[in-house]
Amino acid sequence: MARSFPRRRSLVVRLTAVSLLIALASIAATAWLAVQTTTRAIQQEQGQALSGDATIYTELLGFAAVNHTWDQVGPRLRTLSEQTGRRIVLTTVDRRVLGDSGGAPVTLPVKATASVDPLHVDPVLLPEAGTSGIDPRAAGPFKLPPSEREELTALATRATACLAAVGLPSQVRDSPSGRPQLTGLDPLSARYFASKCGLYELAEPTRTEEAALLGLNDAVNRCLQGQGGEPVKLGLDLEVLGVPDQRPTQGCLDSARREQLTPYVAPPALLFTLGPGGSQLPTFTLSRENLARILAVTGGVLVLAVALTVLVATRLSRPLRALTEAAEQDRPAPVKTRDEVGYLAAAFNDLTARRERIEEQRKAMVSDIAHELRNPLNVIRGRLEAAEDGHLPFDRALTASLLEETVLLQHIVDDLQDLAAADAGQLRL
């Protein structure tokens, strides 16, 4: 009867498990490598696309911040298209085309790339807008006329020369409104020389800025009055004077600035960036068909690996099972291969033949021992029966004969003990 092994210790199960683990590890490693490579390529491509779109968005925001209409946006769109390799279409909120860098009309996608509104800017796309969401390039009524700009520029030039004479170098930078600003100064040192170098005079608002500040203050205070707040006064830097915590005023300030800037900036527009010729930009998405294809290929590899493993394991375990059955039934095992299993079967058959020869020799030795023991015992029995029947006298000759046979029997027994000790490895010479 063939011996049954636990399923978990079966060679087929173990080889199948190992092959399955190897297949899974290979598939996982290949998939990980493919995903990493593809993701890196996609990120690079998307990074380039986002960089081009960000440039277009920033430039158009700047145009909208300093122009109250989109009428002259065409040349700017064509320049940006040449720089980025994109076709750029600008429309109103209701999708009426304001400007197009290409030629023939094109079908626009459902979703716009971005909304261009200098009064509602995404701080992520334009960090300079800050929390207010207003493009800082939108100066509106704060934009200085040429006469005031020239006057402030002269003051800034004299202040720079004065500060340089006392060892405080500085640079002049024009703000979006045209007001010159000094940069690169240490605030403490500049405050010490502010009166001498005319910094206070440079910081005074002009007539244009005073009028713009007056209108902005009125709008902010109307908003605060509606909310039950106290009236405030704004400085030229649009900060509330004398109020350390400006958070309650920030909402009214932002809404008042939007109300004041609306007539000076272009209205909101939708931006569409397309590929060359107006084609849709490629998107990198994993569709259901691609996902199903990946799963099908992965499943096929697993099934093939399991099938091959079961086939190989079955071919390997079949001769081992035949060898086990031959050992249990005490018969020679069939030798059908010339590999390790075949060599094992041949060695098993040789061992079986030697065991049979040893068994035959053991049987012959037992027969010889029985014969040798029988002879002295028969002599002793025959003489004792003859003496008991009165045919032989109980004299010294009879006892000497019995003693001789007994000594012979003792020698045979001693020889058997020596053989047993020799077989057990305990014979000492």
Side-chain angles (χ1 to χ4, degrees):
M1 180 179 180
R3 182 181 301 173
S4 61
F5 295 94
R7 180 66 61 183
R8 61 184 178 83
R9 298 183 63 86
S10 173
L11 181 61
V12 176
V13 173
R14 285 184 288 173
L15 286 176
T16 303
V18 172
S19 177
L20 187 60
L21 289 176
I22 295 174
L24 286 174
S26 302
I27 292 174
T30 304
W32 178 84
L33 181 60
V35 168
Q36 291 296 320
T37 305
T38 306
T39 302
R40 191 177 298 111
I42 291 175
Q43 288 176 348
Q44 292 176 353
E45 183 68 23
Q46 289 181 337
Q48 295 175 357
L50 290 176
S51 176
D53 291 345
T55 301
I56 297 171
Y57 176 76
T58 304
E59 289 292 328
L60 291 180
L61 270 181
F63 180 90
V66 298
N67 293 275
H68 66 282
T69 66
W70 293 102
D71 294 342
Q72 305 298 323
V73 76
R76 182 69 60 88
L77 294 180
R78 287 188 288 273
T79 301
L80 291 173
S81 177
E82 293 174 358
Q83 293 175 353
T84 61
R86 300 276 194 273
R87 179 170 180 176
I88 307 170
V89 180
L90 199 67
T91 71
T92 60
V93 177
D94 56 359
R95 291 182 173 249
R96 181 174 57 85
V97 177
L98 296 172
D100 189 348
S101 64
V106 65
T107 302
L108 299 177
V110 177
K111 184 178 180 181
T113 305
S115 175
V116 183
D117 185 359
L119 301 184
H120 296 85
V121 178
D122 187 351
V124 176
L125 299 177
L126 190 68
E128 295 83 355
T131 57
S132 66
I134 300 176
D135 194 324
R137 292 170 292 186
F142 287 88
K143 190 173 183 62
L144 300 178
S147 58
E148 294 181 353
R149 185 180 303 177
E150 292 175 359
E151 181 180 351
L152 290 177
T153 302
L155 290 176
T157 303
R158 289 197 298 269
T160 303
C162 176
L163 291 172
V166 295
L168 294 177
S170 60
Q171 298 82 34
V172 179
R173 181 179 64 86
D174 287 339
S175 66
S177 65
R179 164 174 279 275
Q181 295 177 339
L182 301 184
T183 60
L185 286 175
D186 180 19
L188 295 179
S189 301
R191 185 176 303 174
Y192 182 77
F193 293 100
S195 177
K196 177 181 178 181
C197 294
L199 297 184
Y200 292 132
E201 184 181 0
L202 179 63
E204 288 295 325
T206 65
R207 289 185 299 273
T208 301
E209 292 171 334
E210 286 179 350
L213 275 176
L214 181 61
L216 185 60
N217 273 290
D218 291 341
V220 171
N221 288 324
R222 284 197 305 270
C223 176
L224 290 175
Q225 185 178 4
Q227 297 179 0
E230 296 293 332
V232 298
K233 184 177 181 181
L234 300 175
L236 191 57
D237 55 0
L238 302 184
E239 292 186 359
V240 181
L241 300 178
V243 178
D245 187 5
Q246 302 187 20
R247 286 177 296 178
T249 314
Q250 189 63 43
C252 288
L253 175 60
D254 293 341
S255 62
R257 289 186 62 198
R258 290 190 177 95
E259 179 184 350
Q260 187 183 47
L261 292 173
T262 298
Y264 298 91
V265 300
L270 298 180
L271 170 65
F272 297 88
T273 56
L274 307 173
S279 60
Q280 297 287 336
L281 292 175
T283 56
F284 301 94
T285 57
L286 189 61
S287 63
R288 292 185 177 180
E289 292 77 9
N290 291 333
L291 181 61
R293 189 178 299 109
I294 292 175
L295 293 178
V297 172
T298 303
V301 172
L302 286 176
V303 171
L304 181 60
V306 172
L308 291 177
T309 303
V310 171
L311 177 62
V312 174
T314 302
R315 292 179 61 88
L316 288 176
S317 62
R318 187 180 296 117
L320 296 179
R321 292 182 180 275
L323 182 61
T324 302
E325 293 176 359
E328 291 176 346
Q329 297 176 7
D330 197 12
R331 59 177 176 80
V335 180
K336 298 181 179 180
T337 59
R338 297 180 59 84
D339 53 8
E340 289 81 356
V341 178
Y343 295 151
L344 178 61
F348 171 78
N349 293 338
D350 184 60
L351 179 63
T352 302
R354 284 186 292 169
R355 185 179 61 81
E356 291 177 353
R357 289 195 299 269
I358 292 174
E359 183 65 20
E360 293 176 356
Q361 293 174 357
R362 185 188 64 80
K363 292 179 180 180
M365 184 184 69
V366 171
S367 177
D368 293 340
I369 292 173
H371 177 72
E372 293 297 331
L373 291 175
R374 190 182 298 113
N375 288 337
L377 287 175
N378 287 338
V379 173
I380 293 172
R381 178 181 179 181
R383 292 184 180 179
L384 288 175
E385 288 177 353
E388 186 178 6
D389 293 340
H391 299 294
L392 287 177
F394 282 98
D395 52 9
R396 189 175 183 83
L398 179 59
T399 56
S401 176
L402 293 176
L403 179 59
E404 181 181 357
E405 296 298 330
T406 303
V407 171
L408 177 60
L409 189 60
Q410 182 65 43
H411 280 307
I412 294 174
V413 172
D414 291 341
D415 290 341
L416 290 176
Q417 289 180 345
D418 291 338
L419 288 176
D423 290 339
Q426 300 177 354
L427 180 63
R428 298 180 63 185
L429 302 179

